[in-house]
């Protein structure tokens, strides 16, 4: 209690504008008017007197370690309080810097995806589209196709899919499946990369910044090249097959209506998940796992 009282009294005197000249080996002790027996005792012990003094303040030789500890305690307290805003500001600056880096990574990723889309449109831009059919089908009903399931049923509030337009529906379905597959890998990768890093990539940051930080950028270029080769060569749409049907290379024999609907549902969910992860990282600078406070 004596230490806290001494520190508070010293701070109060300094705040009041008191000016005291101290001699070497002396410590400032402000004069106060005591109102309780405890304060009388503290004031007397610090001044070496049996009665409290009144006035502007006084000085005394350092004969009480208790008084000195009080002044040091007050000074240390002020130092800690002054350091707290600096730490908060540094944390805010670090988060802003990380968010800016994530934004650069998102820009680079978006540019690459746009490049792939542009290349695909130039190479597949035939009359019937990427996955469409040149044969008209007036009886075609999009509400009866795979993907129109509970609880929403056939959900097309903007009317993109029209009856009789089988070619347009096939193009939209191919795009939906492709985006869903990419989003599933993206959402899963955003989580896994927080915990797992390939040998040689230990220094690559997590999140979107990985795509623009060496050697992560090299891996991104390689992934871009492989995806382009598969998109333009191996995995191409066939008007004789369903949109997104590239065969069963693993021999799982799971190309059924149930599994196709599962893939569509998971892909739709993953598109929202991937967009949420990216938006949150651009806002907070935290990767997919850090957003949960982990």
């Amino acid at each position: 209690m004596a230490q806290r009282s001494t520190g508070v009294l010293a701070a109060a005197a300094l705040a009041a504008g008191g000016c005291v000249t101290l001699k070497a080996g002396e410590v400032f002790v402000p004069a106060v008017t005591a109102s309780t027996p405890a304060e009388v005792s503290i004031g007397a012990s610090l001044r070496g007197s049996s009665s409290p003094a009144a006035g502007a303040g006084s000085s005394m030789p350092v004969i009480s370690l208790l008084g000195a500890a009080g002044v040091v305690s007050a000074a240390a307290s002020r130092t800690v309080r002054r350091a707290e805003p600096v730490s908060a500001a540094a944390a805010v600056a670090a988060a802003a810097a990380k968010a800016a880096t994530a934004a650069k990574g998102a820009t680079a990723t978006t540019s690459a995806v746009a490049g792939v889309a542009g290349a695909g449109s130039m190479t597949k831009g035939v009359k019937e589209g990427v996955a469409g059919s040149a044969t008209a089908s007036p009886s075609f009903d999009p509400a009866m196709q795979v993907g129109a399931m509970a609880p929403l049923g056939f959900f097309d509030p903007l009317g993109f899919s029209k009856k009789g337009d089988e070619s347009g529906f096939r193009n939209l379905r191919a795009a939906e499946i492709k985006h869903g597959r990419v989003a599933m890998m993206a959402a899963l990768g955003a989580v896994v990369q927080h915990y797992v890093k390939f040998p040689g990539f230990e220094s690559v940051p997590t999140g979107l910044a990985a795509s623009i930080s060496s050697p992560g950028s090299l891996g991104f270029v390689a992934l871009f090249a492989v995806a382009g080769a598969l998109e333009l060569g191996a995995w191409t749409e066939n008007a004789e097959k369903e949109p997104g049907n590239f065969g069963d290379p693993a021999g799982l024999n799971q190309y059924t209506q149930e599994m196709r609907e599962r893939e569509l549902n998971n892909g739709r969910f993953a598109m929202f998940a991937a967009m949420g992860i990216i938006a949150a990282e651009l806002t907070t600078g935290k990767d997919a796992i850090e957003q949960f406070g982990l």
Side-chain angles (χ1 to χ4, degrees):
M1 179 64 73
Q3 293 179 359
R4 294 177 60 87
S5 299
T6 306
V8 171
L9 294 177
L14 293 174
C19 180
V20 179
T21 302
L22 302 180
K23 300 178 183 179
E26 297 181 341
V27 66
F28 173 76
V29 179
V32 296
T33 301
S35 59
T36 65
E39 291 177 350
V40 171
S41 175
I42 293 171
S45 64
L46 291 176
R47 291 182 170 75
S49 171
S50 59
S51 60
S58 62
S59 61
M60 60 170 279
V62 184
I63 58 174
S64 173
L65 294 177
L66 188 60
V71 176
V72 172
S73 174
S77 174
R78 287 193 298 273
T79 301
V80 170
R81 284 195 296 271
R82 290 175 182 171
E84 287 175 355
V86 176
S87 299
V92 171
K98 192 170 182 181
T101 303
K104 292 180 181 179
T107 302
T109 304
T110 303
S111 300
V113 173
V116 171
S121 65
M122 288 187 290
T123 56
K124 301 288 186 177
V126 293
K127 179 180 178 180
E128 63 272 14
V130 176
S133 173
T135 304
S137 179
S139 62
F140 176 80
D141 186 0
M144 303 302 295
Q145 304 304 308
V146 173
M149 66 194 91
L152 298 179
F154 177 63
F155 184 77
D156 184 18
L158 299 181
F160 288 115
S161 300
K162 299 177 175 59
K163 288 186 177 181
D165 186 13
E166 183 178 2
S167 182
F169 177 84
R170 285 176 61 88
N171 283 319
L172 293 174
R173 174 51 54 84
E176 180 184 27
I177 293 175
K178 184 184 298 183
H179 283 88
R181 289 168 177 171
V182 171
M184 284 187 280
M185 291 188 289
L188 179 62
V191 173
V192 173
Q193 69 161 343
H194 180 85
Y195 299 103
V196 180
K197 295 191 182 218
F198 292 116
F201 290 82
E202 292 83 358
S203 61
V204 176
T206 58
L208 295 172
S211 63
I212 59 172
S213 302
S214 183
S217 55
L218 301 178
F220 180 73
V221 171
L223 180 63
F224 179 83
V226 172
L230 293 174
E231 170 77 13
L232 302 177
W235 294 340
T236 57
E237 296 289 347
N238 188 340
E240 303 300 324
K241 296 181 179 180
E242 299 85 354
N245 182 1
F246 301 131
D248 185 15
L252 299 177
N253 297 319
Q254 292 184 338
Y255 195 75
T256 62
Q257 179 171 338
E258 179 185 359
M259 293 304 296
R260 291 172 65 191
E261 290 179 341
R262 286 175 180 269
E263 180 184 32
L264 283 169
N265 272 337
N266 283 303
R268 291 165 179 171
F269 181 80
M271 284 188 274
F272 282 103
M275 287 190 295
I277 291 171
I278 292 172
E281 183 173 351
L282 292 175
T283 303
T284 65
K286 298 180 179 180
D287 66 27
I289 296 299
E290 292 172 342
Q291 292 165 19
F292 293 99
L294 302 177

